[in-house]
Amino acid sequence: LKLLKVYPNPFHKRFKISYRVPVDIKEVRFILYNLRGRQLLDHIQKNFSTPGYHVFSFDGKTNGSKNGIVPSGVYILQLQAKNSAGSIIYGGEKRITNVK
């Protein structure tokens, strides 16, 4: 499992996350934190039928931020996965910036 690229970075309202999934992954989880450690996004994608390269598009909307939209700032995006045995696999993290 590997977090490959977040683009564009800096972003405005929308960005894409490219990542690689190995065999035997049941679900992938994207977690977005602000620099104070507050979690703003926890998105889970389930039922991966094929390993390989995947892209997730994020529209900047969260439940944990004012008005539901990520404000300008610097954030940490983390990638995790769960395999069929239930083990958590860490896929890396990236620092991203939102500008308005």
Side-chain angles (χ1 to χ4, degrees), residues 57-78:
S57 183
F58 175 65
D59 63 4
K61 295 180 182 173
T62 71
N63 292 332
S65 59
K66 187 177 180 181
N67 300 323
I69 298 174
V70 174
S72 294
V74 178
Y75 300 90
I76 303 297
L77 177 72
Q78 190 178 80

Side-chain angles (χ1 to χ4, degrees), residues 40-95:
L40 299 176
L41 172 73
D42 188 356
H43 177 81
I44 297 175
Q45 289 186 305
K46 294 185 177 193
N47 302 323
F48 280 89
S49 57
T50 57
Y53 179 84
H54 296 270
V55 175
F56 169 68
S57 183
F58 175 65
D59 63 4
K61 295 180 182 173
T62 71
N63 292 332
S65 59
K66 187 177 180 181
N67 300 323
I69 298 174
V70 174
S72 294
V74 178
Y75 300 90
I76 303 297
L77 177 72
Q78 190 178 80
L79 175 66
Q80 297 177 358
K82 191 181 287 186
N83 64 17
S84 60
S87 298
I88 303 291
I89 302 166
Y90 178 71
E93 61 186 39
K94 299 278 182 183
R95 183 176 161 176

